[in-house]
Amino acid sequence: MKQSIGKKPAIIPTPVLIIGTYDTAGKANGMTAAWGGVCSSDPLSISFSVQRTRHTHQALMEKKECTISIPSTAHVKEADYFGLSSGRDRDKFSDTGLTPVRAPSVHAPYVGEFPIVIECRITHVVDVGVHDLFVAEVVDVLIDDSYLTADGRPDLQEAPFFFYNPLDRSYYKTGEYLMQGFSTGNLFK
């Protein structure tokens, strides 16, 4: 039997995305966003939500470019900090010892220590209450060599990622391979 727990953000798991931007002064900034995911396959686009009061919101509106860095479990504390403090008041890269790297294809920084980086250009902004939903077209994806197989595919069992549980504000580790998608389910046909 299922029980009601009320109106909650119960999309579980939610990804942990670090949105990288340069602010108006040119300072590298990163902000943790958990409200995001792939929203279109053609053009390949990712959406994420940012409150209009956030420092990152202003940079996204001005620059229309960003990166999305995906952290591994080695940096869960730093990723959490990027969501707890504001780039208005703090230099999050300096505070955490992480390295801002200028992305090769867009005018935005990424976190050098994080294994996956997605370079994006903002194509749409939609008002959805206290947040704006940003739709960002993917320009390129960068993955650390150590997380690629010999044939160039991502090896996610070697990259211990984590996700956010918005119901109790906690993080959990991912990594166990279950099955191949878009094929194994054909057994039911």
Side-chain angles (χ1 to χ4, degrees), residues 22 28 65 67 99-112 119 142:
Y22 289 115
E65 294 185 329
T67 61
T99 310
V101 177
R102 182 165 187 325
S105 301
V106 297
H107 184 66
Y110 66 84
V111 183
E119 297 178 283
L142 311 170

Side-chain angles (χ1 to χ4, degrees), residues 1-172:
M1 181 170 180
K2 293 178 181 54
Q3 295 182 26
S4 172
I5 62 168
K7 188 164 58 170
K8 308 250 187 226
I11 301 294
I12 302 170
T14 58
V16 176
L17 311 173
I18 306 299
I19 310 301
T21 57
Y22 289 115
D23 66 15
T24 54
K27 182 177 81 174
N29 187 41
M31 183 203 90
T32 307
W35 310 148
V38 176
C39 64
S40 175
S41 58
D42 187 16
L44 181 56
S45 299
I46 296 172
S47 65
F48 54 88
S49 295
V50 178
Q51 288 185 2
R52 285 183 287 286
T53 60
R54 303 291 184 222
H55 186 60
T56 295
H57 186 278
Q58 180 181 0
L60 289 166
M61 295 300 286
E62 289 176 3
K63 308 292 185 192
K64 301 291 188 196
E65 294 185 329
C66 67
T67 61
I68 300 171
S69 297
I70 311 287
S72 68
T73 55
H75 293 99
V76 64
K77 291 176 187 163
E78 291 86 346
D80 191 54
Y81 177 74
F82 272 45
L84 293 174
S85 59
S86 174
R88 244 184 232 108
D89 312 316
R90 306 292 311 176
D91 181 334
K92 298 178 198 180
F93 284 99
S94 178
D95 290 349
T96 59
L98 295 175
T99 310
V101 177
R102 182 165 187 325
S105 301
V106 297
H107 184 66
Y110 66 84
V111 183
E113 292 79 5
F114 293 179
I116 297 178
V117 175
I118 305 166
E119 297 178 283
C120 300
R121 288 198 177 94
I122 306 300
T123 57
H124 299 85
V125 181
V126 180
D127 177 338
V128 286
V130 297
H131 290 77
D132 275 344
L133 176 74
F134 289 87
V135 177
E137 185 173 344
V138 174
V139 174
D140 197 10
V141 176
L142 311 170
I143 299 181
D144 283 351
D145 292 343
S146 59
Y147 295 106
L148 294 174
T149 62
D151 61 354
R153 293 182 315 164
D155 185 354
L156 298 184
Q157 286 187 320
E158 294 303 316
F161 294 102
F162 60 97
F163 66 89
Y164 178 68
N165 175 358
L167 296 179
D168 68 1
R169 296 182 165 188
S170 57
Y171 298 101
Y172 292 87

